[in-house]
Amino acid sequence: MAKEIFMPKLSSTMQVGTLLQWYKNEGDSVDVGEPLFEIMTDKINIEVESYEEGILLKKYFEEDDEVPINHVVGYIGEAGEKVPDSPPGESGAAKEQEDVSDSREAQVEDLTEQGISETVTEHISDDSHGENAAAEKPRATPAARRVAREENIALSDVSGSGPNGRIHQNDVMEFAASKTSFKATPLAQKVATAEGVDLQAIKGSGTNGKIYRADVENAKQASPAAGTGGKRIKMEGIRKVVAQRTLQSKTTAPHVTLTTEVDMSEAINLRKQLLGMIEQQTGFRISYTEIIMKAVAFSLKQHPNVNVSLEGNEIVYKEDINLGLAVAADNGLVVPVVKHVDQKGLSSLTAECKRLGKAARDNQVKPDEMSGGTFTVSNLGMYAIDAFTPVINQPESAILGVGRINEKPVGVDGAIELRPMMVLSLSFDHRVIDGAPAAAFLTELKEALEQPVILLV
């Protein structure tokens, strides 16, 4: 009997997964443990392995489709086995009740698009008299409705190729491709011609996607490359997640950033002394990142009011000190979490940071290695960057930005000396952390790095 393939739930906050790519085609044989497809959660990209062996009989979704957790995405079975044409729960006479619910959902979404309040839509959803109205709505898959919204296409204009005329994603895409014209005001067309803007690339803000002059001007402003033939890349995957989360952080948490300069002379000496010893033990060379993380953990332990998060209207003081390590991967920013840094020696901390850093760059970080962070360190010291203002990685409440180590003339006991100086930038959420305790934490951190022997005690 054919077995369902489900969209897995990989984190406590995951509600949908974006299907990035299939590794198998329909008709291919699949072994247990073999990568079947790749998804993007709200945190990471991850390969999903097969729990069954057999033939991949059906794939219901395509790349970039967003699929709810526990939803059937395909089937594995024996060659020639019959499986539903549509995902279970989305179509078919045997699923009539689910069809009615689905139609209601589509109705609610359509009404929401028209600006009707959520209160009204909920009322319609619960109203038993709404079944007749729902039945008149176009029957479409969630993916088809999403594409229709993105393309400003009315589903009533699209002919469905599925059972009982159900509209699939391909139906909407083919309809969009078949459109030979778009709706735009004469003034919008005139401005577009003058500015060299392609109206086909603009989503109009008017009724049924009608393009107005403001839409053209906004498109021109948002994309300087418009009309110049510049390369355009759709924002997706981790890049899209980073954009959403940094925007959310900056717009919900009032950021305040404090900076201080640290004399790294003693930290450099400590690293030189430990370099060979730790490399012999672990096979890895200790870097300044590990020394800084150890100093951060030491300072957080002295200042627990910085190791906090805001949950609802409660400030939660974290018992663990788990540090996120911002890593620049090819496809975006990844922040694996090093757990219990305060309990680790520099040797084991070096091995853990190197292992997670490689996993992040290779897109191999596991879901539990991305969760539980209480504070993040973002180190740009390998570049010619002296200082920057990092964005808080919520739900954490503070993040440390690390600049390069650079020799500067400083005053020492009445004389001018060249010293290796480094700038630290602490961004914190002013809703839960005040300036004075944040300054005290940063001062403690500066002193720990200038006298790092204290980290070995």
Side-chain angles (χ1 to χ4, degrees):
M1 182 178 178
K3 302 292 186 182
E4 298 101 333
I5 307 167
F6 294 98
M7 171 60 70
K9 180 178 175 66
L10 298 173
S11 72
S12 59
T13 57
M14 178 180 174
Q15 296 299 319
V16 299
T18 301
L19 202 157
L20 297 179
Q21 61 174 320
W22 284 94
Y23 295 119
K24 296 288 184 178
N25 295 314
E26 291 181 2
D28 287 351
S29 61
V30 180
D31 293 326
V32 174
E34 197 172 9
L36 196 53
F37 56 92
E38 182 183 20
I39 62 172
M40 181 187 70
T41 72
D42 56 342
K43 297 179 182 293
I44 60 171
N45 292 8
I46 191 166
E47 293 179 349
V48 178
E49 299 177 349
S50 176
Y51 288 96
E52 306 289 342
E53 69 174 12
I55 303 298
L56 180 59
L57 300 173
K58 194 70 177 178
K59 299 190 300 186
Y60 291 119
F61 296 93
E62 302 170 3
E63 294 179 3
D64 279 347
D65 279 352
E66 294 180 346
V67 186
I69 57 172
N70 300 324
H71 208 75
V72 177
V73 299
Y75 274 96
I76 290 178
E78 297 181 1
E81 273 192 280
K82 297 295 184 184
V83 296
D85 291 330
S86 301
E90 289 197 355
S91 67
K95 303 291 185 182
E96 188 61 31
Q97 184 58 44
E98 294 179 10
D99 278 351
V100 172
S101 299
D102 199 39
S103 296
R104 284 183 174 181
E105 182 186 347
Q107 182 187 26
V108 170
E109 291 188 8
D110 287 347
L111 290 171
T112 302
E113 287 180 354
Q114 294 167 24
I116 298 176
S117 71
E118 291 293 331
T119 302
V120 174
T121 58
E122 288 176 5
H123 172 74
I124 291 173
S125 178
D126 293 335
D127 186 355
S128 61
H129 298 292
E131 292 186 8
N132 291 336
E136 296 173 0
K137 290 290 180 181
R139 306 175 69 225
T141 65
R145 290 199 294 272
R146 176 177 60 80
V147 174
R149 284 196 300 272
E150 293 174 353
E151 300 293 337
N152 289 315
I153 292 173
L155 284 171
S156 57
D157 295 336
V158 182
S159 298
S161 60
N164 299 319
R166 190 175 187 79
I167 301 170
H168 289 274
Q169 180 181 356
N170 280 342
D171 299 325
V172 180
M173 295 177 69
E174 289 175 2
F175 178 83
S178 68
K179 289 194 302 181
T180 56
S181 63
F182 42 79
K183 297 178 180 178
T185 65
L187 182 57
Q189 295 184 42
K190 182 178 179 181
V191 173
T193 301
E195 298 291 341
V197 176
D198 181 6
L199 285 173
Q200 294 278 11
I202 298 177
K203 294 180 180 178
S205 60
T207 304
N208 295 323
K210 191 171 186 176
I211 301 170
Y212 292 105
R213 173 185 179 179
D215 298 323
V216 178
E217 293 174 342
N218 290 338
K220 176 69 176 177
Q221 185 176 7
S223 176
T228 64
K231 181 179 179 182
R232 298 186 185 199
I233 300 176
K234 181 181 178 183
M235 185 179 288
E236 56 188 3
I238 291 179
R239 182 72 268 149
K240 186 176 180 180
V241 173
V242 170
Q244 292 171 339
R245 297 189 68 173
T246 52
L247 176 63
Q248 179 189 20
S249 181
K250 287 291 285 187
T251 54
T252 59
H255 284 52
V256 177
T257 301
L258 303 178
T259 62
T260 189
E261 264 193 312
V262 180
D263 184 341
M264 291 291 285
S265 298
E266 293 302 319
I268 291 173
N269 289 335
L270 176 67
R271 178 175 178 267
K272 286 179 180 177
Q273 294 175 43
L274 295 176
L275 202 56
M277 191 184 312
I278 289 180
E279 187 171 12
Q280 187 175 20
Q281 287 182 8
T282 66
F284 297 107
R285 293 168 63 85
I286 184 174
S287 69
Y288 295 112
T289 297
E290 287 86 51
I291 295 174
I292 293 167
M293 291 182 72
K294 187 64 183 176
V296 167
F298 172 83
S299 303
L300 284 175
K301 204 159 187 175
Q302 316 305 315
H303 300 269
N305 47 5
V306 177
N307 197 39
V308 297
S309 66
L310 181 62
E311 298 181 8
N313 62 352
E314 295 179 330
I315 300 174
V316 180
Y317 288 74
K318 301 294 186 181
E319 294 181 351
D320 298 328
I321 296 178
N322 301 332
L323 301 186
L325 177 60
V327 177
D330 289 341
N331 53 351
L333 181 65
V334 183
V335 188
V337 176
V338 184
K339 307 285 177 59
H340 309 298
V341 174
D342 56 315
Q343 301 173 22
K344 287 182 166 65
L346 283 168
S347 180
S348 60
L349 183 58
T350 298
E352 183 74 353
C353 288
K354 295 294 190 291
R355 183 187 68 79
L356 286 173
K358 183 178 186 305
R361 287 186 290 273
D362 293 343
N363 196 27
Q364 297 292 322
V365 183
K366 300 175 182 175
D368 64 340
E369 293 173 332
M370 295 284 289
S371 62
T374 62
F375 185 101
T376 292
V377 174
S378 179
N379 187 356
L380 294 180
M382 65 291 292
Y383 303 105
I385 301 300
D386 294 321
F388 61 102
T389 54
V391 178
I392 299 167
N393 183 26
Q394 290 187 318
E396 300 164 18
S397 296
I399 182 172
L400 183 75
V402 181
R404 65 174 172 172
I405 299 173
N406 193 28
E407 280 197 338
K408 292 181 179 179
V410 296
V412 179
D413 298 330
I416 300 297
E417 295 184 8
L418 282 178
R419 290 292 181 96
M421 304 301 291
M422 179 181 73
V423 176
L424 298 179
S425 306
L426 176 70
S427 291
F428 59 94
D429 184 345
H430 210 335
R431 294 176 301 175
V432 293
I433 303 174
D434 289 332
F441 164 78
L442 196 56
T443 300
E444 182 91 41
L445 177 58
K446 169 184 168 69
E447 292 174 353
L449 287 170
E450 292 184 340
Q451 297 295 328
V453 66
I454 195 172
L455 303 177
L456 305 179
V457 176

mmCIF file of all heavy atoms in Angstrom, residues 30-66:
data_model
loop_
_atom_site.group_PDB
_atom_site.id
_atom_site.type_symbol
_atom_site.label_atom_id
_atom_site.label_comp_id
_atom_site.label_asym_id
_atom_site.label_seq_id
_atom_site.Cartn_x
_atom_site.Cartn_y
_atom_site.Cartn_z
ATOM 1 N N VAL A 30 13.356 4.891 -4.474
ATOM 2 C CA VAL A 30 13.793 5.609 -3.275
ATOM 3 C C VAL A 30 14.154 4.581 -2.206
ATOM 4 O O VAL A 30 13.407 3.619 -1.982
ATOM 5 C CB VAL A 30 12.682 6.534 -2.742
ATOM 6 C CG1 VAL A 30 13.157 7.280 -1.496
ATOM 7 C CG2 VAL A 30 12.235 7.518 -3.815
ATOM 8 N N ASP A 31 15.287 4.791 -1.527
ATOM 9 C CA ASP A 31 15.687 3.932 -0.415
ATOM 10 C C ASP A 31 15.453 4.644 0.904
ATOM 11 O O ASP A 31 15.430 5.884 0.958
ATOM 12 C CB ASP A 31 17.174 3.559 -0.538
ATOM 13 C CG ASP A 31 17.434 2.670 -1.735
ATOM 14 O OD1 ASP A 31 16.547 1.856 -2.060
ATOM 15 O OD2 ASP A 31 18.512 2.793 -2.346
ATOM 16 N N VAL A 32 15.317 3.854 1.975
ATOM 17 C CA VAL A 32 15.167 4.438 3.305
ATOM 18 C C VAL A 32 16.417 5.242 3.645
ATOM 19 O O VAL A 32 17.538 4.773 3.453
ATOM 20 C CB VAL A 32 14.948 3.339 4.363
ATOM 21 C CG1 VAL A 32 14.942 3.938 5.767
ATOM 22 C CG2 VAL A 32 13.640 2.606 4.096
ATOM 23 N N GLY A 33 16.211 6.453 4.149
ATOM 24 C CA GLY A 33 17.328 7.312 4.528
ATOM 25 C C GLY A 33 17.886 8.143 3.398
ATOM 26 O O GLY A 33 18.781 8.968 3.608
ATOM 27 N N GLU A 34 17.359 7.982 2.211
ATOM 28 C CA GLU A 34 17.843 8.746 1.066
ATOM 29 C C GLU A 34 17.175 10.125 1.049
ATOM 30 O O GLU A 34 15.967 10.223 1.267
ATOM 31 C CB GLU A 34 17.510 8.001 -0.225
ATOM 32 C CG GLU A 34 18.299 8.466 -1.424
ATOM 33 C CD GLU A 34 18.077 7.562 -2.629
ATOM 34 O OE1 GLU A 34 17.200 6.682 -2.581
ATOM 35 O OE2 GLU A 34 18.776 7.762 -3.616
ATOM 36 N N PRO A 35 17.951 11.203 0.808
ATOM 37 C CA PRO A 35 17.341 12.530 0.734
ATOM 38 C C PRO A 35 16.251 12.566 -0.340
ATOM 39 O O PRO A 35 16.483 12.141 -1.475
ATOM 40 C CB PRO A 35 18.513 13.437 0.364
ATOM 41 C CG PRO A 35 19.714 12.702 0.831
ATOM 42 C CD PRO A 35 19.404 11.254 0.628
ATOM 43 N N LEU A 36 15.087 13.065 0.065
ATOM 44 C CA LEU A 36 13.942 13.051 -0.841
ATOM 45 C C LEU A 36 13.642 14.450 -1.382
ATOM 46 O O LEU A 36 13.392 14.643 -2.553
ATOM 47 C CB LEU A 36 12.730 12.504 -0.090
ATOM 48 C CG LEU A 36 11.520 12.044 -0.896
ATOM 49 C CD1 LEU A 36 11.922 11.044 -1.961
ATOM 50 C CD2 LEU A 36 10.475 11.433 0.034
ATOM 51 N N PHE A 37 13.647 15.431 -0.460
ATOM 52 C CA PHE A 37 13.442 16.820 -0.880
ATOM 53 C C PHE A 37 14.044 17.749 0.155
ATOM 54 O O PHE A 37 14.384 17.326 1.268
ATOM 55 C CB PHE A 37 11.958 17.145 -1.115
ATOM 56 C CG PHE A 37 11.058 16.875 0.049
ATOM 57 C CD1 PHE A 37 10.772 17.852 0.987
ATOM 58 C CD2 PHE A 37 10.452 15.627 0.194
ATOM 59 C CE1 PHE A 37 9.930 17.599 2.049
ATOM 60 C CE2 PHE A 37 9.598 15.364 1.248
ATOM 61 C CZ PHE A 37 9.338 16.351 2.184
ATOM 62 N N GLU A 38 14.200 19.011 -0.215
ATOM 63 C CA GLU A 38 14.752 20.024 0.682
ATOM 64 C C GLU A 38 13.687 21.066 0.976
ATOM 65 O O GLU A 38 12.959 21.487 0.077
ATOM 66 C CB GLU A 38 15.970 20.697 0.062
ATOM 67 C CG GLU A 38 16.632 21.730 0.976
ATOM 68 C CD GLU A 38 17.798 22.458 0.315
ATOM 69 O OE1 GLU A 38 17.849 22.440 -0.936
ATOM 70 O OE2 GLU A 38 18.612 23.040 1.016
ATOM 71 N N ILE A 39 13.608 21.458 2.259
ATOM 72 C CA ILE A 39 12.634 22.484 2.636
ATOM 73 C C ILE A 39 13.330 23.599 3.388
ATOM 74 O O ILE A 39 14.444 23.439 3.888
ATOM 75 C CB ILE A 39 11.501 21.906 3.515
ATOM 76 C CG1 ILE A 39 12.089 21.365 4.832
ATOM 77 C CG2 ILE A 39 10.726 20.839 2.774
ATOM 78 C CD1 ILE A 39 11.031 20.968 5.834
ATOM 79 N N MET A 40 12.654 24.715 3.462
ATOM 80 C CA MET A 40 13.114 25.829 4.285
ATOM 81 C C MET A 40 12.070 26.068 5.355
ATOM 82 O O MET A 40 10.886 26.247 5.049
ATOM 83 C CB MET A 40 13.277 27.094 3.448
ATOM 84 C CG MET A 40 13.784 28.291 4.251
ATOM 85 S SD MET A 40 13.754 29.785 3.266
ATOM 86 C CE MET A 40 11.998 30.056 3.143
ATOM 87 N N THR A 41 12.499 26.037 6.616
ATOM 88 C CA THR A 41 11.595 26.343 7.719
ATOM 89 C C THR A 41 11.722 27.831 8.018
ATOM 90 O O THR A 41 12.287 28.584 7.236
ATOM 91 C CB THR A 41 11.962 25.513 8.952
ATOM 92 O OG1 THR A 41 13.185 26.016 9.506
ATOM 93 C CG2 THR A 41 12.158 24.039 8.587
ATOM 94 N N ASP A 42 11.205 28.240 9.170
ATOM 95 C CA ASP A 42 11.372 29.634 9.563
ATOM 96 C C ASP A 42 12.774 29.896 10.083
ATOM 97 O O ASP A 42 13.085 31.018 10.466
ATOM 98 C CB ASP A 42 10.327 30.017 10.617
ATOM 99 C CG ASP A 42 10.383 29.095 11.828
ATOM 100 O OD1 ASP A 42 10.959 28.000 11.707
ATOM 101 O OD2 ASP A 42 9.830 29.470 12.873
ATOM 102 N N LYS A 43 13.635 28.860 10.114
ATOM 103 C CA LYS A 43 14.971 29.053 10.640
ATOM 104 C C LYS A 43 16.066 28.608 9.679
ATOM 105 O O LYS A 43 17.073 29.281 9.519
ATOM 106 C CB LYS A 43 15.138 28.281 11.971
ATOM 107 C CG LYS A 43 14.209 28.768 13.079
ATOM 108 C CD LYS A 43 14.413 27.949 14.333
ATOM 109 C CE LYS A 43 13.463 28.371 15.435
ATOM 110 N NZ LYS A 43 13.737 29.711 15.923
ATOM 111 N N ILE A 44 15.889 27.440 9.057
ATOM 112 C CA ILE A 44 16.982 26.877 8.264
ATOM 113 C C ILE A 44 16.463 26.143 7.044
ATOM 114 O O ILE A 44 15.265 25.884 6.915
ATOM 115 C CB ILE A 44 17.815 25.878 9.098
ATOM 116 C CG1 ILE A 44 16.900 24.728 9.574
ATOM 117 C CG2 ILE A 44 18.501 26.540 10.248
ATOM 118 C CD1 ILE A 44 17.658 23.590 10.201
ATOM 119 N N ASN A 45 17.411 25.787 6.174
ATOM 120 C CA ASN A 45 17.149 24.835 5.094
ATOM 121 C C ASN A 45 17.561 23.457 5.577
ATOM 122 O O ASN A 45 18.578 23.316 6.260
ATOM 123 C CB ASN A 45 17.962 25.180 3.856
ATOM 124 C CG ASN A 45 17.518 26.468 3.225
ATOM 125 O OD1 ASN A 45 16.695 27.192 3.780
ATOM 126 N ND2 ASN A 45 18.060 26.770 2.081
ATOM 127 N N ILE A 46 16.803 22.422 5.214
ATOM 128 C CA ILE A 46 17.157 21.084 5.668
ATOM 129 C C ILE A 46 16.651 20.054 4.675
ATOM 130 O O ILE A 46 15.596 20.235 4.055
ATOM 131 C CB ILE A 46 16.587 20.822 7.080
ATOM 132 C CG1 ILE A 46 17.179 19.538 7.658
ATOM 133 C CG2 ILE A 46 15.065 20.748 7.052
ATOM 134 C CD1 ILE A 46 16.935 19.377 9.143
ATOM 135 N N GLU A 47 17.443 18.988 4.513
ATOM 136 C CA GLU A 47 17.029 17.887 3.653
ATOM 137 C C GLU A 47 16.105 16.956 4.436
ATOM 138 O O GLU A 47 16.357 16.668 5.601
ATOM 139 C CB GLU A 47 18.253 17.100 3.169
ATOM 140 C CG GLU A 47 19.147 17.892 2.233
ATOM 141 C CD GLU A 47 20.357 17.075 1.791
ATOM 142 O OE1 GLU A 47 20.579 15.999 2.391
ATOM 143 O OE2 GLU A 47 21.043 17.507 0.858
ATOM 144 N N VAL A 48 15.063 16.475 3.780
ATOM 145 C CA VAL A 48 14.141 15.533 4.397
ATOM 146 C C VAL A 48 14.402 14.159 3.789
ATOM 147 O O VAL A 48 14.348 13.986 2.573
ATOM 148 C CB VAL A 48 12.679 15.946 4.168
ATOM 149 C CG1 VAL A 48 11.723 14.914 4.773
ATOM 150 C CG2 VAL A 48 12.421 17.320 4.778
ATOM 151 N N GLU A 49 14.705 13.197 4.664
ATOM 152 C CA GLU A 49 15.018 11.852 4.196
ATOM 153 C C GLU A 49 13.766 10.990 4.129
ATOM 154 O O GLU A 49 12.785 11.228 4.838
ATOM 155 C CB GLU A 49 16.043 11.211 5.135
ATOM 156 C CG GLU A 49 17.363 11.974 5.197
ATOM 157 C CD GLU A 49 18.335 11.351 6.185
ATOM 158 O OE1 GLU A 49 17.898 10.470 6.949
ATOM 159 O OE2 GLU A 49 19.505 11.760 6.179
ATOM 160 N N SER A 50 13.830 9.953 3.318
ATOM 161 C CA SER A 50 12.687 9.066 3.153
ATOM 162 C C SER A 50 12.643 8.040 4.279
ATOM 163 O O SER A 50 13.663 7.494 4.687
ATOM 164 C CB SER A 50 12.781 8.342 1.810
ATOM 165 O OG SER A 50 11.727 7.420 1.686
ATOM 166 N N TYR A 51 11.431 7.786 4.789
ATOM 167 C CA TYR A 51 11.228 6.754 5.793
ATOM 168 C C TYR A 51 10.747 5.450 5.145
ATOM 169 O O TYR A 51 10.509 4.468 5.832
ATOM 170 C CB TYR A 51 10.204 7.208 6.840
ATOM 171 C CG TYR A 51 10.739 8.271 7.759
ATOM 172 C CD1 TYR A 51 10.508 9.623 7.522
ATOM 173 C CD2 TYR A 51 11.498 7.913 8.871
ATOM 174 C CE1 TYR A 51 11.007 10.588 8.371
ATOM 175 C CE2 TYR A 51 12.004 8.882 9.725
ATOM 176 C CZ TYR A 51 11.755 10.222 9.473
ATOM 177 O OH TYR A 51 12.264 11.176 10.313
ATOM 178 N N GLU A 52 10.542 5.471 3.842
ATOM 179 C CA GLU A 52 10.024 4.302 3.132
ATOM 180 C C GLU A 52 10.924 4.020 1.939
ATOM 181 O O GLU A 52 11.656 4.896 1.460
ATOM 182 C CB GLU A 52 8.591 4.561 2.644
ATOM 183 C CG GLU A 52 7.623 5.013 3.714
ATOM 184 C CD GLU A 52 7.278 3.900 4.688
ATOM 185 O OE1 GLU A 52 7.521 2.723 4.343
ATOM 186 O OE2 GLU A 52 6.771 4.202 5.774
ATOM 187 N N GLU A 53 10.846 2.789 1.441
ATOM 188 C CA GLU A 53 11.510 2.491 0.191
ATOM 189 C C GLU A 53 10.463 2.092 -0.835
ATOM 190 O O GLU A 53 9.403 1.563 -0.493
ATOM 191 C CB GLU A 53 12.545 1.376 0.364
ATOM 192 C CG GLU A 53 11.969 0.006 0.653
ATOM 193 C CD GLU A 53 13.051 -1.057 0.651
ATOM 194 O OE1 GLU A 53 14.239 -0.676 0.649
ATOM 195 O OE2 GLU A 53 12.716 -2.243 0.626
ATOM 196 N N GLY A 54 10.756 2.345 -2.075
ATOM 197 C CA GLY A 54 9.804 2.025 -3.130
ATOM 198 C C GLY A 54 9.975 2.975 -4.295
ATOM 199 O O GLY A 54 11.081 3.462 -4.569
ATOM 200 N N ILE A 55 8.877 3.272 -4.960
ATOM 201 C CA ILE A 55 8.877 4.177 -6.105
ATOM 202 C C ILE A 55 8.169 5.472 -5.713
ATOM 203 O O ILE A 55 7.103 5.445 -5.082
ATOM 204 C CB ILE A 55 8.141 3.539 -7.303
ATOM 205 C CG1 ILE A 55 8.784 2.201 -7.674
ATOM 206 C CG2 ILE A 55 8.153 4.482 -8.503
ATOM 207 C CD1 ILE A 55 10.230 2.298 -8.123
ATOM 208 N N LEU A 56 8.773 6.600 -6.062
ATOM 209 C CA LEU A 56 8.084 7.876 -5.830
ATOM 210 C C LEU A 56 6.936 7.971 -6.832
ATOM 211 O O LEU A 56 7.148 8.149 -8.038
ATOM 212 C CB LEU A 56 9.049 9.050 -6.005
ATOM 213 C CG LEU A 56 8.433 10.444 -5.790
ATOM 214 C CD1 LEU A 56 7.843 10.576 -4.382
ATOM 215 C CD2 LEU A 56 9.469 11.539 -6.028
ATOM 216 N N LEU A 57 5.716 7.809 -6.304
ATOM 217 C CA LEU A 57 4.538 7.728 -7.177
ATOM 218 C C LEU A 57 3.968 9.093 -7.515
ATOM 219 O O LEU A 57 3.438 9.302 -8.607
ATOM 220 C CB LEU A 57 3.458 6.880 -6.496
ATOM 221 C CG LEU A 57 3.848 5.439 -6.162
ATOM 222 C CD1 LEU A 57 2.746 4.779 -5.343
ATOM 223 C CD2 LEU A 57 4.109 4.643 -7.444
ATOM 224 N N LYS A 58 4.071 10.026 -6.557
ATOM 225 C CA LYS A 58 3.390 11.312 -6.773
ATOM 226 C C LYS A 58 4.093 12.441 -6.052
ATOM 227 O O LYS A 58 4.557 12.276 -4.921
ATOM 228 C CB LYS A 58 1.943 11.210 -6.253
ATOM 229 C CG LYS A 58 1.037 12.328 -6.699
ATOM 230 C CD LYS A 58 0.737 12.239 -8.177
ATOM 231 C CE LYS A 58 -0.241 13.327 -8.634
ATOM 232 N NZ LYS A 58 -0.464 13.239 -10.094
ATOM 233 N N LYS A 59 4.183 13.573 -6.734
ATOM 234 C CA LYS A 59 4.648 14.813 -6.104
ATOM 235 C C LYS A 59 3.527 15.838 -6.275
ATOM 236 O O LYS A 59 3.158 16.159 -7.395
ATOM 237 C CB LYS A 59 5.920 15.327 -6.774
ATOM 238 C CG LYS A 59 7.100 14.376 -6.694
ATOM 239 C CD LYS A 59 8.394 15.032 -7.155
ATOM 240 C CE LYS A 59 8.324 15.519 -8.577
ATOM 241 N NZ LYS A 59 9.610 16.028 -9.077
ATOM 242 N N TYR A 60 2.997 16.332 -5.170
ATOM 243 C CA TYR A 60 1.870 17.252 -5.264
ATOM 244 C C TYR A 60 2.292 18.720 -5.326
ATOM 245 O O TYR A 60 1.494 19.571 -5.699
ATOM 246 C CB TYR A 60 0.944 17.064 -4.063
ATOM 247 C CG TYR A 60 0.206 15.744 -4.072
ATOM 248 C CD1 TYR A 60 0.384 14.826 -3.045
ATOM 249 C CD2 TYR A 60 -0.661 15.413 -5.106
ATOM 250 C CE1 TYR A 60 -0.293 13.627 -3.045
ATOM 251 C CE2 TYR A 60 -1.338 14.216 -5.112
ATOM 252 C CZ TYR A 60 -1.153 13.321 -4.085
ATOM 253 O OH TYR A 60 -1.809 12.129 -4.098
ATOM 254 N N PHE A 61 3.501 18.997 -4.907
ATOM 255 C CA PHE A 61 3.910 20.400 -4.829
ATOM 256 C C PHE A 61 5.198 20.619 -5.603
ATOM 257 O O PHE A 61 5.961 19.683 -5.845
ATOM 258 C CB PHE A 61 4.083 20.821 -3.365
ATOM 259 C CG PHE A 61 2.802 20.762 -2.584
ATOM 260 C CD1 PHE A 61 2.467 19.626 -1.863
ATOM 261 C CD2 PHE A 61 1.915 21.822 -2.601
ATOM 262 C CE1 PHE A 61 1.276 19.556 -1.160
ATOM 263 C CE2 PHE A 61 0.727 21.757 -1.916
ATOM 264 C CZ PHE A 61 0.397 20.631 -1.185
ATOM 265 N N GLU A 62 5.415 21.868 -5.943
ATOM 266 C CA GLU A 62 6.568 22.236 -6.741
ATOM 267 C C GLU A 62 7.467 23.177 -5.959
ATOM 268 O O GLU A 62 7.137 23.599 -4.848
ATOM 269 C CB GLU A 62 6.088 22.910 -8.040
ATOM 270 C CG GLU A 62 5.164 22.023 -8.865
ATOM 271 C CD GLU A 62 4.516 22.779 -10.007
ATOM 272 O OE1 GLU A 62 4.829 23.960 -10.181
ATOM 273 O OE2 GLU A 62 3.701 22.173 -10.710
ATOM 274 N N GLU A 63 8.602 23.498 -6.556
ATOM 275 C CA GLU A 63 9.550 24.389 -5.894
ATOM 276 C C GLU A 63 8.904 25.724 -5.567
ATOM 277 O O GLU A 63 8.138 26.274 -6.353
ATOM 278 C CB GLU A 63 10.776 24.615 -6.783
ATOM 279 C CG GLU A 63 11.593 23.352 -6.977
ATOM 280 C CD GLU A 63 12.785 23.586 -7.882
ATOM 281 O OE1 GLU A 63 12.991 24.742 -8.292
ATOM 282 O OE2 GLU A 63 13.494 22.623 -8.178
ATOM 283 N N ASP A 64 9.220 26.221 -4.371
ATOM 284 C CA ASP A 64 8.728 27.495 -3.841
ATOM 285 C C ASP A 64 7.313 27.403 -3.299
ATOM 286 O O ASP A 64 6.788 28.396 -2.796
ATOM 287 C CB ASP A 64 8.784 28.622 -4.883
ATOM 288 C CG ASP A 64 10.165 29.232 -4.997
ATOM 289 O OD1 ASP A 64 11.001 28.960 -4.113
ATOM 290 O OD2 ASP A 64 10.404 29.945 -5.964
ATOM 291 N N ASP A 65 6.679 26.242 -3.380
ATOM 292 C CA ASP A 65 5.355 26.100 -2.773
ATOM 293 C C ASP A 65 5.488 26.072 -1.260
ATOM 294 O O ASP A 65 6.384 25.420 -0.714
ATOM 295 C CB ASP A 65 4.683 24.801 -3.236
ATOM 296 C CG ASP A 65 4.038 24.950 -4.604
ATOM 297 O OD1 ASP A 65 4.001 26.094 -5.097
ATOM 298 O OD2 ASP A 65 3.594 23.948 -5.164
ATOM 299 N N GLU A 66 4.594 26.768 -0.575
ATOM 300 C CA GLU A 66 4.553 26.729 0.882
ATOM 301 C C GLU A 66 3.521 25.688 1.297
ATOM 302 O O GLU A 66 2.362 25.752 0.877
ATOM 303 C CB GLU A 66 4.181 28.103 1.445
ATOM 304 C CG GLU A 66 5.260 29.154 1.178
ATOM 305 C CD GLU A 66 4.900 30.514 1.732
ATOM 306 O OE1 GLU A 66 3.714 30.709 2.080
ATOM 307 O OE2 GLU A 66 5.786 31.364 1.837
#
